[in-house]
């Protein structure tokens, strides 16, 4: 006796495809969760945060530009931190010249306190909290 097989309906096919996509997404998400997470500046063991720079490396009346932070020392013993991101259009500031932090893209200049000296930037560099611990400058 022949068995009659009916093809699946369009709705059934779409529902199965949706379940397949959901399963793939869940698998991808759980695989991402297994990846090692980037380390933050603050260690998870409760120890001291990593030094951004030695205080001796930041000249008085000037500063240094690091990977993602600008450190300045406007007056002896006063250290400040700023985002490297220029508030005008997001370029990274690139140098500190004549007491000004300079953005190479459109020429904005900021003083060592992050305030705008010359536009087109209309607002100051974003501050980043830094503190001195011993001979080091640390985030926070
Ligand atoms: S992005 Fe810095 S001046 Fe335009």
């Amino acid at each position: 006796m022949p068995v009659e097989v009916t093809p699946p309906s369009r709705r059934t096919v779409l529902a199965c495809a949706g379940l397949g996509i959901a399963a793939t997404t869940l698998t991808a998400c759980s695989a991402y969760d297994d990846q090692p997470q980037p380390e933050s500046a603050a260690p998870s063991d409760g120890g001291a945060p990593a030094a951004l720079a030695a205080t001796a490396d930041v000249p008085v009346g000037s500063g240094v530009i690091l990977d993602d932070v600008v450190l300045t020392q406007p007056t002896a013993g006063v250290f400040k931190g700023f985002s490297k991101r220029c508030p005008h259009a997001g370029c990274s500031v690139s140098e500190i010249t004549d007491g000004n932090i300079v953005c190479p893209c459109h020429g904005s200049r900021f003083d060592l306190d992050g305030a705008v000296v010359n536009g087109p930037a209309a607002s100051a560099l974003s501050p980043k909290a830094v503190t001195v611990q011993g001979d080091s400058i640390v985030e926070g």
Side-chain angles (χ1 to χ4, degrees):
M1 173 176 197
V3 176
E4 187 175 319
V5 177
T6 57
S9 71
R10 185 168 181 248
R11 176 175 289 172
T12 301
V13 171
L14 290 175
C16 290
L19 287 173
I21 290 170
T24 302
T25 302
L26 287 172
T27 301
C29 289
S30 67
Y32 176 78
D33 289 342
D34 292 341
Q35 298 298 313
Q37 299 299 310
E39 291 182 26
S40 67
S44 59
D45 64 0
L52 297 170
T55 54
D57 293 339
V58 183
V60 177
S62 187
V64 294
I65 299 175
L66 305 175
D67 286 343
D68 62 341
V69 66
V70 180
L71 298 175
T72 65
Q73 188 176 184
T75 57
V78 176
F79 295 91
K80 300 200 171 189
F82 305 97
S83 166
K84 282 177 59 174
R85 188 174 188 276
C86 177
H88 175 239
C91 290
S92 290
V93 296
S94 62
E95 64 178 319
I96 300 176
T97 304
D98 298 329
N100 287 171
I101 303 163
V102 180
C103 178
C105 290
H106 311 100
S108 288
R109 297 173 79 91
F110 307 87
D111 68 17
L112 299 177
D113 294 316
V116 176
V117 174
N118 278 358
S123 57
L125 293 174
S126 296
K128 282 195 166 191
V130 295
T131 56
V132 174
Q133 290 185 358
D135 293 337
S136 299
I137 301 170
V138 299
E139 215 173 318

mmCIF file with all atom_site columns, all heavy atoms in Angstrom, residues 64-89:
data_model
loop_
_atom_site.group_PDB
_atom_site.id
_atom_site.type_symbol
_atom_site.label_atom_id
_atom_site.label_alt_id
_atom_site.label_comp_id
_atom_site.label_asym_id
_atom_site.label_entity_id
_atom_site.label_seq_id
_atom_site.pdbx_PDB_ins_code
_atom_site.Cartn_x
_atom_site.Cartn_y
_atom_site.Cartn_z
_atom_site.occupancy
_atom_site.B_iso_or_equiv
_atom_site.pdbx_formal_charge
_atom_site.auth_seq_id
_atom_site.auth_comp_id
_atom_site.auth_asym_id
_atom_site.auth_atom_id
_atom_site.pdbx_PDB_model_num
ATOM 1   N N   . VAL A 1 64 ? 52.062 64.862 28.247 1.00 0.00 ? 64 VAL A N   1
ATOM 2   C CA  . VAL A 1 64 ? 52.369 63.737 27.362 1.00 0.00 ? 64 VAL A CA  1
ATOM 3   C C   . VAL A 1 64 ? 51.053 63.183 26.823 1.00 0.00 ? 64 VAL A C   1
ATOM 4   O O   . VAL A 1 64 ? 50.008 63.273 27.478 1.00 0.00 ? 64 VAL A O   1
ATOM 5   C CB  . VAL A 1 64 ? 53.162 62.620 28.074 1.00 0.00 ? 64 VAL A CB  1
ATOM 6   C CG1 . VAL A 1 64 ? 54.544 63.104 28.465 1.00 0.00 ? 64 VAL A CG1 1
ATOM 7   C CG2 . VAL A 1 64 ? 52.403 62.084 29.280 1.00 0.00 ? 64 VAL A CG2 1
ATOM 8   N N   . ILE A 1 65 ? 51.138 62.632 25.632 1.00 0.00 ? 65 ILE A N   1
ATOM 9   C CA  . ILE A 1 65 ? 49.974 61.989 25.024 1.00 0.00 ? 65 ILE A CA  1
ATOM 10  C C   . ILE A 1 65 ? 50.260 60.494 24.978 1.00 0.00 ? 65 ILE A C   1
ATOM 11  O O   . ILE A 1 65 ? 51.245 60.068 24.352 1.00 0.00 ? 65 ILE A O   1
ATOM 12  C CB  . ILE A 1 65 ? 49.697 62.554 23.621 1.00 0.00 ? 65 ILE A CB  1
ATOM 13  C CG1 . ILE A 1 65 ? 49.402 64.051 23.728 1.00 0.00 ? 65 ILE A CG1 1
ATOM 14  C CG2 . ILE A 1 65 ? 48.528 61.811 22.972 1.00 0.00 ? 65 ILE A CG2 1
ATOM 15  C CD1 . ILE A 1 65 ? 49.234 64.746 22.391 1.00 0.00 ? 65 ILE A CD1 1
ATOM 16  N N   . LEU A 1 66 ? 49.422 59.730 25.654 1.00 0.00 ? 66 LEU A N   1
ATOM 17  C CA  . LEU A 1 66 ? 49.601 58.281 25.712 1.00 0.00 ? 66 LEU A CA  1
ATOM 18  C C   . LEU A 1 66 ? 48.596 57.618 24.780 1.00 0.00 ? 66 LEU A C   1
ATOM 19  O O   . LEU A 1 66 ? 47.934 58.290 23.987 1.00 0.00 ? 66 LEU A O   1
ATOM 20  C CB  . LEU A 1 66 ? 49.418 57.805 27.162 1.00 0.00 ? 66 LEU A CB  1
ATOM 21  C CG  . LEU A 1 66 ? 50.331 58.514 28.186 1.00 0.00 ? 66 LEU A CG  1
ATOM 22  C CD1 . LEU A 1 66 ? 49.997 58.064 29.593 1.00 0.00 ? 66 LEU A CD1 1
ATOM 23  C CD2 . LEU A 1 66 ? 51.800 58.258 27.858 1.00 0.00 ? 66 LEU A CD2 1
ATOM 24  N N   . ASP A 1 67 ? 48.461 56.300 24.902 1.00 0.00 ? 67 ASP A N   1
ATOM 25  C CA  . ASP A 1 67 ? 47.589 55.560 23.988 1.00 0.00 ? 67 ASP A CA  1
ATOM 26  C C   . ASP A 1 67 ? 46.166 56.106 23.944 1.00 0.00 ? 67 ASP A C   1
ATOM 27  O O   . ASP A 1 67 ? 45.599 56.272 22.882 1.00 0.00 ? 67 ASP A O   1
ATOM 28  C CB  . ASP A 1 67 ? 47.544 54.082 24.364 1.00 0.00 ? 67 ASP A CB  1
ATOM 29  C CG  . ASP A 1 67 ? 48.828 53.380 23.977 1.00 0.00 ? 67 ASP A CG  1
ATOM 30  O OD1 . ASP A 1 67 ? 49.585 53.933 23.149 1.00 0.00 ? 67 ASP A OD1 1
ATOM 31  O OD2 . ASP A 1 67 ? 49.077 52.296 24.511 1.00 0.00 ? 67 ASP A OD2 1
ATOM 32  N N   . ASP A 1 68 ? 45.554 56.359 25.093 1.00 0.00 ? 68 ASP A N   1
ATOM 33  C CA  . ASP A 1 68 ? 44.182 56.869 25.048 1.00 0.00 ? 68 ASP A CA  1
ATOM 34  C C   . ASP A 1 68 ? 43.917 57.939 26.101 1.00 0.00 ? 68 ASP A C   1
ATOM 35  O O   . ASP A 1 68 ? 42.785 58.172 26.475 1.00 0.00 ? 68 ASP A O   1
ATOM 36  C CB  . ASP A 1 68 ? 43.163 55.734 25.149 1.00 0.00 ? 68 ASP A CB  1
ATOM 37  C CG  . ASP A 1 68 ? 43.267 54.992 26.452 1.00 0.00 ? 68 ASP A CG  1
ATOM 38  O OD1 . ASP A 1 68 ? 44.305 55.108 27.095 1.00 0.00 ? 68 ASP A OD1 1
ATOM 39  O OD2 . ASP A 1 68 ? 42.309 54.298 26.836 1.00 0.00 ? 68 ASP A OD2 1
ATOM 40  N N   . VAL A 1 69 ? 44.963 58.573 26.559 1.00 0.00 ? 69 VAL A N   1
ATOM 41  C CA  . VAL A 1 69 ? 44.787 59.636 27.542 1.00 0.00 ? 69 VAL A CA  1
ATOM 42  C C   . VAL A 1 69 ? 45.879 60.689 27.355 1.00 0.00 ? 69 VAL A C   1
ATOM 43  O O   . VAL A 1 69 ? 46.988 60.379 26.913 1.00 0.00 ? 69 VAL A O   1
ATOM 44  C CB  . VAL A 1 69 ? 44.805 59.054 28.988 1.00 0.00 ? 69 VAL A CB  1
ATOM 45  C CG1 . VAL A 1 69 ? 46.166 58.496 29.339 1.00 0.00 ? 69 VAL A CG1 1
ATOM 46  C CG2 . VAL A 1 69 ? 44.381 60.087 30.016 1.00 0.00 ? 69 VAL A CG2 1
ATOM 47  N N   . VAL A 1 70 ? 45.507 61.931 27.670 1.00 0.00 ? 70 VAL A N   1
ATOM 48  C CA  . VAL A 1 70 ? 46.472 63.030 27.688 1.00 0.00 ? 70 VAL A CA  1
ATOM 49  C C   . VAL A 1 70 ? 46.709 63.371 29.150 1.00 0.00 ? 70 VAL A C   1
ATOM 50  O O   . VAL A 1 70 ? 45.749 63.563 29.909 1.00 0.00 ? 70 VAL A O   1
ATOM 51  C CB  . VAL A 1 70 ? 45.919 64.278 26.955 1.00 0.00 ? 70 VAL A CB  1
ATOM 52  C CG1 . VAL A 1 70 ? 46.934 65.409 26.992 1.00 0.00 ? 70 VAL A CG1 1
ATOM 53  C CG2 . VAL A 1 70 ? 45.534 63.939 25.526 1.00 0.00 ? 70 VAL A CG2 1
ATOM 54  N N   . LEU A 1 71 ? 47.964 63.419 29.566 1.00 0.00 ? 71 LEU A N   1
ATOM 55  C CA  . LEU A 1 71 ? 48.313 63.819 30.923 1.00 0.00 ? 71 LEU A CA  1
ATOM 56  C C   . LEU A 1 71 ? 49.051 65.141 30.845 1.00 0.00 ? 71 LEU A C   1
ATOM 57  O O   . LEU A 1 71 ? 49.960 65.301 30.022 1.00 0.00 ? 71 LEU A O   1
ATOM 58  C CB  . LEU A 1 71 ? 49.210 62.764 31.590 1.00 0.00 ? 71 LEU A CB  1
ATOM 59  C CG  . LEU A 1 71 ? 48.607 61.381 31.767 1.00 0.00 ? 71 LEU A CG  1
ATOM 60  C CD1 . LEU A 1 71 ? 49.663 60.417 32.321 1.00 0.00 ? 71 LEU A CD1 1
ATOM 61  C CD2 . LEU A 1 71 ? 47.391 61.421 32.685 1.00 0.00 ? 71 LEU A CD2 1
ATOM 62  N N   . THR A 1 72 ? 48.624 66.089 31.687 1.00 0.00 ? 72 THR A N   1
ATOM 63  C CA  . THR A 1 72 ? 49.321 67.374 31.713 1.00 0.00 ? 72 THR A CA  1
ATOM 64  C C   . THR A 1 72 ? 49.716 67.706 33.144 1.00 0.00 ? 72 THR A C   1
ATOM 65  O O   . THR A 1 72 ? 49.182 67.139 34.106 1.00 0.00 ? 72 THR A O   1
ATOM 66  C CB  . THR A 1 72 ? 48.427 68.513 31.163 1.00 0.00 ? 72 THR A CB  1
ATOM 67  O OG1 . THR A 1 72 ? 47.309 68.693 32.030 1.00 0.00 ? 72 THR A OG1 1
ATOM 68  C CG2 . THR A 1 72 ? 47.957 68.213 29.745 1.00 0.00 ? 72 THR A CG2 1
ATOM 69  N N   . GLN A 1 73 ? 50.657 68.646 33.249 1.00 0.00 ? 73 GLN A N   1
ATOM 70  C CA  . GLN A 1 73 ? 51.061 69.178 34.550 1.00 0.00 ? 73 GLN A CA  1
ATOM 71  C C   . GLN A 1 73 ? 51.134 70.697 34.393 1.00 0.00 ? 73 GLN A C   1
ATOM 72  O O   . GLN A 1 73 ? 52.204 71.263 34.137 1.00 0.00 ? 73 GLN A O   1
ATOM 73  C CB  . GLN A 1 73 ? 52.426 68.592 34.983 1.00 0.00 ? 73 GLN A CB  1
ATOM 74  C CG  . GLN A 1 73 ? 52.788 68.955 36.394 1.00 0.00 ? 73 GLN A CG  1
ATOM 75  C CD  . GLN A 1 73 ? 54.080 68.322 36.888 1.00 0.00 ? 73 GLN A CD  1
ATOM 76  O OE1 . GLN A 1 73 ? 54.406 68.499 38.055 1.00 0.00 ? 73 GLN A OE1 1
ATOM 77  N NE2 . GLN A 1 73 ? 54.821 67.616 36.055 1.00 0.00 ? 73 GLN A NE2 1
ATOM 78  N N   . PRO A 1 74 ? 49.965 71.369 34.499 1.00 0.00 ? 74 PRO A N   1
ATOM 79  C CA  . PRO A 1 74 ? 49.922 72.824 34.272 1.00 0.00 ? 74 PRO A CA  1
ATOM 80  C C   . PRO A 1 74 ? 50.852 73.587 35.215 1.00 0.00 ? 74 PRO A C   1
ATOM 81  O O   . PRO A 1 74 ? 51.500 74.538 34.795 1.00 0.00 ? 74 PRO A O   1
ATOM 82  C CB  . PRO A 1 74 ? 48.454 73.190 34.528 1.00 0.00 ? 74 PRO A CB  1
ATOM 83  C CG  . PRO A 1 74 ? 47.707 71.905 34.401 1.00 0.00 ? 74 PRO A CG  1
ATOM 84  C CD  . PRO A 1 74 ? 48.652 70.813 34.795 1.00 0.00 ? 74 PRO A CD  1
ATOM 85  N N   . THR A 1 75 ? 50.869 73.179 36.467 1.00 0.00 ? 75 THR A N   1
ATOM 86  C CA  . THR A 1 75 ? 51.809 73.774 37.429 1.00 0.00 ? 75 THR A CA  1
ATOM 87  C C   . THR A 1 75 ? 52.432 72.628 38.217 1.00 0.00 ? 75 THR A C   1
ATOM 88  O O   . THR A 1 75 ? 51.869 71.528 38.284 1.00 0.00 ? 75 THR A O   1
ATOM 89  C CB  . THR A 1 75 ? 51.093 74.739 38.395 1.00 0.00 ? 75 THR A CB  1
ATOM 90  O OG1 . THR A 1 75 ? 50.047 74.048 39.079 1.00 0.00 ? 75 THR A OG1 1
ATOM 91  C CG2 . THR A 1 75 ? 50.486 75.922 37.649 1.00 0.00 ? 75 THR A CG2 1
ATOM 92  N N   . ALA A 1 76 ? 53.554 72.886 38.805 1.00 0.00 ? 76 ALA A N   1
ATOM 93  C CA  . ALA A 1 76 ? 54.304 71.826 39.484 1.00 0.00 ? 76 ALA A CA  1
ATOM 94  C C   . ALA A 1 76 ? 53.430 71.072 40.489 1.00 0.00 ? 76 ALA A C   1
ATOM 95  O O   . ALA A 1 76 ? 52.791 71.680 41.352 1.00 0.00 ? 76 ALA A O   1
ATOM 96  C CB  . ALA A 1 76 ? 55.521 72.428 40.178 1.00 0.00 ? 76 ALA A CB  1
ATOM 97  N N   . GLY A 1 77 ? 53.364 69.780 40.315 1.00 0.00 ? 77 GLY A N   1
ATOM 98  C CA  . GLY A 1 77 ? 52.642 68.923 41.253 1.00 0.00 ? 77 GLY A CA  1
ATOM 99  C C   . GLY A 1 77 ? 51.155 68.776 40.974 1.00 0.00 ? 77 GLY A C   1
ATOM 100 O O   . GLY A 1 77 ? 50.466 68.040 41.674 1.00 0.00 ? 77 GLY A O   1
ATOM 101 N N   . VAL A 1 78 ? 50.637 69.489 39.972 1.00 0.00 ? 78 VAL A N   1
ATOM 102 C CA  . VAL A 1 78 ? 49.213 69.381 39.620 1.00 0.00 ? 78 VAL A CA  1
ATOM 103 C C   . VAL A 1 78 ? 49.111 68.606 38.307 1.00 0.00 ? 78 VAL A C   1
ATOM 104 O O   . VAL A 1 78 ? 49.579 69.081 37.265 1.00 0.00 ? 78 VAL A O   1
ATOM 105 C CB  . VAL A 1 78 ? 48.561 70.777 39.473 1.00 0.00 ? 78 VAL A CB  1
ATOM 106 C CG1 . VAL A 1 78 ? 47.109 70.645 39.009 1.00 0.00 ? 78 VAL A CG1 1
ATOM 107 C CG2 . VAL A 1 78 ? 48.647 71.532 40.784 1.00 0.00 ? 78 VAL A CG2 1
ATOM 108 N N   . PHE A 1 79 ? 48.503 67.423 38.365 1.00 0.00 ? 79 PHE A N   1
ATOM 109 C CA  . PHE A 1 79 ? 48.395 66.558 37.180 1.00 0.00 ? 79 PHE A CA  1
ATOM 110 C C   . PHE A 1 79 ? 46.937 66.456 36.763 1.00 0.00 ? 79 PHE A C   1
ATOM 111 O O   . PHE A 1 79 ? 46.047 66.333 37.606 1.00 0.00 ? 79 PHE A O   1
ATOM 112 C CB  . PHE A 1 79 ? 48.966 65.168 37.479 1.00 0.00 ? 79 PHE A CB  1
ATOM 113 C CG  . PHE A 1 79 ? 50.436 65.205 37.747 1.00 0.00 ? 79 PHE A CG  1
ATOM 114 C CD1 . PHE A 1 79 ? 50.917 65.355 39.044 1.00 0.00 ? 79 PHE A CD1 1
ATOM 115 C CD2 . PHE A 1 79 ? 51.346 65.122 36.708 1.00 0.00 ? 79 PHE A CD2 1
ATOM 116 C CE1 . PHE A 1 79 ? 52.272 65.410 39.300 1.00 0.00 ? 79 PHE A CE1 1
ATOM 117 C CE2 . PHE A 1 79 ? 52.710 65.176 36.947 1.00 0.00 ? 79 PHE A CE2 1
ATOM 118 C CZ  . PHE A 1 79 ? 53.171 65.321 38.250 1.00 0.00 ? 79 PHE A CZ  1
ATOM 119 N N   . LYS A 1 80 ? 46.725 66.506 35.460 1.00 0.00 ? 80 LYS A N   1
ATOM 120 C CA  . LYS A 1 80 ? 45.364 66.397 34.922 1.00 0.00 ? 80 LYS A CA  1
ATOM 121 C C   . LYS A 1 80 ? 45.347 65.376 33.802 1.00 0.00 ? 80 LYS A C   1
ATOM 122 O O   . LYS A 1 80 ? 46.349 65.185 33.101 1.00 0.00 ? 80 LYS A O   1
ATOM 123 C CB  . LYS A 1 80 ? 44.896 67.755 34.404 1.00 0.00 ? 80 LYS A CB  1
ATOM 124 C CG  . LYS A 1 80 ? 44.891 68.798 35.517 1.00 0.00 ? 80 LYS A CG  1
ATOM 125 C CD  . LYS A 1 80 ? 44.035 69.966 35.222 1.00 0.00 ? 80 LYS A CD  1
ATOM 126 C CE  . LYS A 1 80 ? 43.931 70.826 36.487 1.00 0.00 ? 80 LYS A CE  1
ATOM 127 N NZ  . LYS A 1 80 ? 42.961 71.871 36.345 1.00 0.00 ? 80 LYS A NZ  1
ATOM 128 N N   . GLY A 1 81 ? 44.183 64.756 33.624 1.00 0.00 ? 81 GLY A N   1
ATOM 129 C CA  . GLY A 1 81 ? 44.022 63.779 32.561 1.00 0.00 ? 81 GLY A CA  1
ATOM 130 C C   . GLY A 1 81 ? 42.841 64.151 31.680 1.00 0.00 ? 81 GLY A C   1
ATOM 131 O O   . GLY A 1 81 ? 41.844 64.709 32.151 1.00 0.00 ? 81 GLY A O   1
ATOM 132 N N   . PHE A 1 82 ? 42.970 63.856 30.390 1.00 0.00 ? 82 PHE A N   1
ATOM 133 C CA  . PHE A 1 82 ? 41.909 64.154 29.418 1.00 0.00 ? 82 PHE A CA  1
ATOM 134 C C   . PHE A 1 82 ? 41.816 63.041 28.398 1.00 0.00 ? 82 PHE A C   1
ATOM 135 O O   . PHE A 1 82 ? 42.797 62.356 28.110 1.00 0.00 ? 82 PHE A O   1
ATOM 136 C CB  . PHE A 1 82 ? 42.206 65.467 28.668 1.00 0.00 ? 82 PHE A CB  1
ATOM 137 C CG  . PHE A 1 82 ? 42.416 66.632 29.575 1.00 0.00 ? 82 PHE A CG  1
ATOM 138 C CD1 . PHE A 1 82 ? 43.692 67.035 29.923 1.00 0.00 ? 82 PHE A CD1 1
ATOM 139 C CD2 . PHE A 1 82 ? 41.334 67.305 30.115 1.00 0.00 ? 82 PHE A CD2 1
ATOM 140 C CE1 . PHE A 1 82 ? 43.893 68.097 30.785 1.00 0.00 ? 82 PHE A CE1 1
ATOM 141 C CE2 . PHE A 1 82 ? 41.522 68.369 30.984 1.00 0.00 ? 82 PHE A CE2 1
ATOM 142 C CZ  . PHE A 1 82 ? 42.808 68.770 31.322 1.00 0.00 ? 82 PHE A CZ  1
ATOM 143 N N   . SER A 1 83 ? 40.650 62.931 27.823 1.00 0.00 ? 83 SER A N   1
ATOM 144 C CA  . SER A 1 83 ? 40.479 62.062 26.668 1.00 0.00 ? 83 SER A CA  1
ATOM 145 C C   . SER A 1 83 ? 41.286 62.642 25.517 1.00 0.00 ? 83 SER A C   1
ATOM 146 O O   . SER A 1 83 ? 41.398 63.857 25.374 1.00 0.00 ? 83 SER A O   1
ATOM 147 C CB  . SER A 1 83 ? 39.000 62.009 26.285 1.00 0.00 ? 83 SER A CB  1
ATOM 148 O OG  . SER A 1 83 ? 38.865 61.446 24.994 1.00 0.00 ? 83 SER A OG  1
ATOM 149 N N   . LYS A 1 84 ? 41.827 61.765 24.673 1.00 0.00 ? 84 LYS A N   1
ATOM 150 C CA  . LYS A 1 84 ? 42.536 62.226 23.475 1.00 0.00 ? 84 LYS A CA  1
ATOM 151 C C   . LYS A 1 84 ? 41.571 62.686 22.392 1.00 0.00 ? 84 LYS A C   1
ATOM 152 O O   . LYS A 1 84 ? 41.971 63.306 21.420 1.00 0.00 ? 84 LYS A O   1
ATOM 153 C CB  . LYS A 1 84 ? 43.382 61.091 22.890 1.00 0.00 ? 84 LYS A CB  1
ATOM 154 C CG  . LYS A 1 84 ? 44.664 60.836 23.617 1.00 0.00 ? 84 LYS A CG  1
ATOM 155 C CD  . LYS A 1 84 ? 45.407 59.663 23.037 1.00 0.00 ? 84 LYS A CD  1
ATOM 156 C CE  . LYS A 1 84 ? 45.759 59.827 21.583 1.00 0.00 ? 84 LYS A CE  1
ATOM 157 N NZ  . LYS A 1 84 ? 46.599 58.724 21.073 1.00 0.00 ? 84 LYS A NZ  1
ATOM 158 N N   . ARG A 1 85 ? 40.286 62.356 22.548 1.00 0.00 ? 85 ARG A N   1
ATOM 159 C CA  . ARG A 1 85 ? 39.305 62.591 21.491 1.00 0.00 ? 85 ARG A CA  1
ATOM 160 C C   . ARG A 1 85 ? 38.943 64.074 21.426 1.00 0.00 ? 85 ARG A C   1
ATOM 161 O O   . ARG A 1 85 ? 38.425 64.650 22.383 1.00 0.00 ? 85 ARG A O   1
ATOM 162 C CB  . ARG A 1 85 ? 38.066 61.750 21.768 1.00 0.00 ? 85 ARG A CB  1
ATOM 163 C CG  . ARG A 1 85 ? 37.058 61.756 20.663 1.00 0.00 ? 85 ARG A CG  1
ATOM 164 C CD  . ARG A 1 85 ? 35.928 60.770 20.986 1.00 0.00 ? 85 ARG A CD  1
ATOM 165 N NE  . ARG A 1 85 ? 35.045 60.626 19.858 1.00 0.00 ? 85 ARG A NE  1
ATOM 166 C CZ  . ARG A 1 85 ? 34.041 61.455 19.596 1.00 0.00 ? 85 ARG A CZ  1
ATOM 167 N NH1 . ARG A 1 85 ? 33.797 62.452 20.394 1.00 0.00 ? 85 ARG A NH1 1
ATOM 168 N NH2 . ARG A 1 85 ? 33.278 61.271 18.536 1.00 0.00 ? 85 ARG A NH2 1
ATOM 169 N N   . CYS A 1 86 ? 39.186 64.677 20.298 1.00 0.00 ? 86 CYS A N   1
ATOM 170 C CA  . CYS A 1 86 ? 38.846 66.079 20.095 1.00 0.00 ? 86 CYS A CA  1
ATOM 171 C C   . CYS A 1 86 ? 37.320 66.221 20.032 1.00 0.00 ? 86 CYS A C   1
ATOM 172 O O   . CYS A 1 86 ? 36.661 65.487 19.289 1.00 0.00 ? 86 CYS A O   1
ATOM 173 C CB  . CYS A 1 86 ? 39.468 66.579 18.797 1.00 0.00 ? 86 CYS A CB  1
ATOM 174 S SG  . CYS A 1 86 ? 39.046 68.286 18.391 1.00 0.00 ? 86 CYS A SG  1
ATOM 175 N N   . PRO A 1 87 ? 36.749 67.172 20.788 1.00 0.00 ? 87 PRO A N   1
ATOM 176 C CA  . PRO A 1 87 ? 35.290 67.316 20.795 1.00 0.00 ? 87 PRO A CA  1
ATOM 177 C C   . PRO A 1 87 ? 34.729 67.887 19.489 1.00 0.00 ? 87 PRO A C   1
ATOM 178 O O   . PRO A 1 87 ? 33.524 67.856 19.280 1.00 0.00 ? 87 PRO A O   1
ATOM 179 C CB  . PRO A 1 87 ? 35.029 68.254 21.969 1.00 0.00 ? 87 PRO A CB  1
ATOM 180 C CG  . PRO A 1 87 ? 36.303 68.986 22.171 1.00 0.00 ? 87 PRO A CG  1
ATOM 181 C CD  . PRO A 1 87 ? 37.405 68.063 21.734 1.00 0.00 ? 87 PRO A CD  1
ATOM 182 N N   . HIS A 1 88 ? 35.584 68.377 18.608 1.00 0.00 ? 88 HIS A N   1
ATOM 183 C CA  . HIS A 1 88 ? 35.080 68.926 17.345 1.00 0.00 ? 88 HIS A CA  1
ATOM 184 C C   . HIS A 1 88 ? 34.529 67.825 16.451 1.00 0.00 ? 88 HIS A C   1
ATOM 185 O O   . HIS A 1 88 ? 33.356 67.824 16.115 1.00 0.00 ? 88 HIS A O   1
ATOM 186 C CB  . HIS A 1 88 ? 36.169 69.723 16.617 1.00 0.00 ? 88 HIS A CB  1
ATOM 187 C CG  . HIS A 1 88 ? 35.730 70.189 15.274 1.00 0.00 ? 88 HIS A CG  1
ATOM 188 N ND1 . HIS A 1 88 ? 36.375 69.836 14.119 1.00 0.00 ? 88 HIS A ND1 1
ATOM 189 C CD2 . HIS A 1 88 ? 34.678 70.954 14.903 1.00 0.00 ? 88 HIS A CD2 1
ATOM 190 C CE1 . HIS A 1 88 ? 35.746 70.376 13.090 1.00 0.00 ? 88 HIS A CE1 1
ATOM 191 N NE2 . HIS A 1 88 ? 34.721 71.061 13.542 1.00 0.00 ? 88 HIS A NE2 1
ATOM 192 N N   . ALA A 1 89 ? 35.377 66.897 16.045 1.00 0.00 ? 89 ALA A N   1
ATOM 193 C CA  . ALA A 1 89 ? 34.922 65.842 15.142 1.00 0.00 ? 89 ALA A CA  1
ATOM 194 C C   . ALA A 1 89 ? 35.537 64.490 15.472 1.00 0.00 ? 89 ALA A C   1
ATOM 195 O O   . ALA A 1 89 ? 35.466 63.571 14.663 1.00 0.00 ? 89 ALA A O   1
ATOM 196 C CB  . ALA A 1 89 ? 35.215 66.216 13.697 1.00 0.00 ? 89 ALA A CB  1
#
